[in-house]
Amino acid sequence: MSEPAGRESRWPTANGSLATGPQILCKSPGVSGKRGVVGDNRTRILEAPRMLSEAEVVRIARDLLYNRAMVNYQDKPIGALAAIPQKARVYVDGQLKVVGSSPDLNYHEVFIRDNVPVMVFLLLDGRPDIVRRFLDTCLDLQSTSPQTAGIFPSSFTVDGERLLGDYGQRAIGRVISVDATLWWPILAHVYVQRSQDRDWARQPQVQRGLQRFLDLILRPGFCDVPTLHVPDGAFMIDRPLDVWGCPLEIQVLLYGALLSTAALIGLDLQSREAGSADPSAQKQRWQMQQVLNWARRLRGYLLKHYWVNTHTVQVLRRRPTEQYGDAVSNEYNIQTEAIPPWLQHWLGARGGYLIGNVRTGRLDFRFFTLGNCLGAIFDVLSQPQQRALFSLILQNRAELVAEMPLRISHPPLEGDEWRHKTGYDPKNRPWCYHNGGHWPCLLWFLILAVLRHRRGSGFDSGLRNGWLYLPMQDLLQKSYQILLQRLPEQKWAEYFDGPTGVWMGQQARLYQTWTVAGFLLAHHLLKVNPEDANVFDLPKLGSLYRACH
Ligand code: GLC
């Protein structure tokens, strides 16, 4: 593929105006040796493709992000579209014509979760102003209606002078994304830590937003576990995939959100007089303690019930069942038969990971990549556990990386399980989309986890000097090379299908923004500044406890 200099195309921007820029020529999938032109539904036959240099790919990705994906509100960028629209407006004989499809479901909206990599990249790229506007815009959209007060929309769109949030009322299946509400405080903390804009966090409207979030989650429920119970499809996996109950990703995000909220409230407390008797300061101190106690319990719970390695599985298999009372070893009444045999190979001698879900009688042993990477990034996992996780990923590289890093979940639901648990969902057939598909937007999370770990680990750690270091280095570098070569060629597709991830996703959107941002982050962390892997560092429980006493 190549990008000829000087050829101009006209693209619709997010606010509907036309942006002018060079066309990006790509190898057209399924048309070997021919290349299609982005923004034009006609395929132009061109000469044999030329490999793009790394610098060219980075330049294209930056152009897509800054000039094509960004949405303006009141003439300023506030976030990025999920996918860059494929319909193009072109001038034909002096007339402006729209070529291509009608609006693409909700991919023209600004999703909070999809904007996490975008905002992290913007922070590292010196654009905290856009991140601040994104956070403010989301805050304006935080629900205040009685039944949903405190929740953030999954996505929003700009309609003239209005912002319209989707709280699930427009989504297929009317699913509300719980993760969006958990991501906001995390991103707010990351923004403040990186930009040092503490005054932003101390503003009354930001503190009110945090209060609404706490009012939403710090309330009595029907059970005394520290996990958050959600419906099917309440996070990145936003369709039925038997991920209702207490899916890992939500629990790890909850942990991050609790610590981040405590830190942001702590900043406000700091600016008041120490030990102030002001009732609102007392309330904040009390809340911080509740939040921190919860975070501590949650971490302990995740390590006790979600963490598995070859040792814990052997203990699990030999426990008695049907126990009753306070001091039992098998609280969730798990039968040995419910523990899948594939775990033996998958775990190997050194591997460990956080399982997908804990429900009575039914642990979900599927591996969910994002939840596990976040478990390492947020230090839910101890340093040795992080090494066990990396070892597991290395050992199962053929499955998790294969031809397109990284697989979102493993193994896929198949046969009757797929039929009954997804409701015959054709998008989520085995090895497709959320059900074992490969998502390039996930790689940077693993890179971040590994670089953070390497920075924080002692000299005797397996990662800095020993057996993990070289193979992990190799895995990350080769994975990055895959993105570098395949993504521009395959139009920055949203996801890839099949047991090796070699096929472009059957219904994948093209020019998916978090694919682009994920690539830019992988490039930044591996090639530009690995030190920036501290961008997601959360405050430590101990220092937060001290701050509220
Ligand atoms: C799909 C994905 C979801 C993503 C959205 C927008 O619904 O499942 O995770 O946020 O597309 O890209």
Side-chain angles (χ1 to χ4, degrees), residues 56-74:
E56 282 172 305
V57 179
V58 170
R59 191 183 58 72
I60 290 169
R62 291 178 66 90
D63 180 54
L64 288 169
L65 182 66
Y66 280 109
N67 301 326
R68 317 283 207 257
M70 219 46 93
V71 173
N72 279 357
Y73 180 60
Q74 296 173 343

Side-chain angles (χ1 to χ4, degrees), residues 81-83 106-107 109 111-115 154-155 177 179 235-239 408 427 433-434 439 494-495 509 512-514:
L81 303 166
N106 52 1
Y107 281 84
E109 301 207 4
F111 278 72
I112 291 190
R113 83 168 67 84
D114 295 45
N115 271 274
S154 318
S155 62
S177 302
D179 64 338
F235 54 106
M236 177 183 180
I237 295 180
D238 55 1
R239 297 167 79 94
I408 188 170
K427 203 165 172 180
Y433 198 44
H434 303 138
W439 292 65
E494 179 188 13
Y495 66 95
R509 293 304 178 284
Q512 181 81 14
T513 306
W514 65 0

Side-chain angles (χ1 to χ4, degrees), residues 113-121 124 183 187 190 369-370 373-374 377-378 405-406 439-452 476 479-480 483 514-526 532-533 535-536:
R113 83 168 67 84
D114 295 45
N115 271 274
V116 170
V118 172
M119 295 301 143
V120 174
F121 178 72
L124 301 185
W183 270 121
L187 205 54
V190 167
T369 299
L370 183 52
C373 287
L374 290 176
I377 292 168
F378 294 163
L406 294 167
W439 292 65
C441 64
L442 292 175
L443 178 63
W444 77 276
F445 285 105
L446 177 63
I447 297 174
L448 192 75
V450 172
L451 295 183
R452 270 191 85 254
L476 296 185
S479 296
Y480 170 70
L483 297 198
W514 65 0
T515 301
V516 175
F519 165 77
L520 286 170
L521 280 166
H523 171 258
H524 183 95
L525 291 168
L526 290 177
D532 279 337
V535 66
F536 252 110

Side-chain angles (χ1 to χ4, degrees), residues 134-188:
F134 174 72
L135 289 167
D136 284 337
T137 307
C138 297
L139 191 56
D140 287 345
L141 287 165
Q142 188 184 25
S143 171
T144 49
S145 63
Q147 208 171 339
T148 50
I151 68 166
F152 285 85
S154 318
S155 62
F156 60 85
T157 184
V158 179
D159 178 23
E161 279 307 296
R162 285 187 318 156
L163 290 167
L164 297 178
D166 181 3
Y167 304 87
Q169 82 280 13
R170 291 202 295 271
I172 294 177
R174 301 296 180 253
V175 193
I176 172 64
S177 302
V178 177
D179 64 338
T181 299
L182 302 172
W183 270 121
W184 188 87
I186 298 172
L187 205 54

Side-chain angles (χ1 to χ4, degrees), residues 347-506:
L347 285 168
R350 284 171 154 164
Y353 71 104
L354 294 161
I355 61 172
N357 212 329
V358 170
R359 293 176 297 210
T360 307
R362 286 179 296 169
L363 301 182
D364 181 349
F365 285 96
R366 279 177 295 171
F367 178 85
F368 290 89
T369 299
L370 183 52
N372 272 285
C373 287
L374 290 176
I377 292 168
F378 294 163
D379 288 331
V380 170
L381 298 178
S382 67
Q383 294 267 309
Q385 285 170 328
Q386 293 182 25
R387 289 195 284 279
L389 173 65
F390 301 146
S391 163
L392 176 112
I393 292 174
L394 276 172
Q395 148 144 341
N396 298 293
R397 183 175 176 164
E399 249 110 27
L400 293 175
V401 177
E403 305 287 340
M404 178 52 77
L406 294 167
R407 178 173 294 168
I408 188 170
S409 62
H410 179 89
L413 298 177
E414 296 187 79
D416 276 348
E417 267 207 308
W418 166 73
R419 281 188 274 280
H420 298 144
K421 291 180 172 167
T422 71
Y424 292 72
D425 186 350
K427 203 165 172 180
N428 265 334
R429 276 190 290 254
W431 313 109
C432 297
Y433 198 44
H434 303 138
N435 192 15
H438 290 238
W439 292 65
C441 64
L442 292 175
L443 178 63
W444 77 276
F445 285 105
L446 177 63
I447 297 174
L448 192 75
V450 172
L451 295 183
R452 270 191 85 254
H453 180 93
R454 196 179 296 159
R455 193 168 39 92
S457 52
F459 279 103
D460 58 344
S461 96
L463 204 57
R464 192 171 285 200
N465 291 331
W467 49 276
L468 269 177
Y469 179 74
L470 286 178
M472 206 57 198
Q473 188 80 355
D474 178 68
L475 182 147
L476 296 185
Q477 292 295 345
K478 292 210 169 109
S479 296
Y480 170 70
Q481 290 302 324
I482 294 177
L483 297 198
L484 189 63
Q485 280 159 31
R486 291 196 64 200
L487 292 183
E489 200 173 272
Q490 300 202 279
K491 302 187 176 182
W492 307 89
E494 179 188 13
Y495 66 95
F496 292 77
D497 284 344
T500 67
V502 83
W503 299 321
M504 185 193 283
Q506 191 231 340

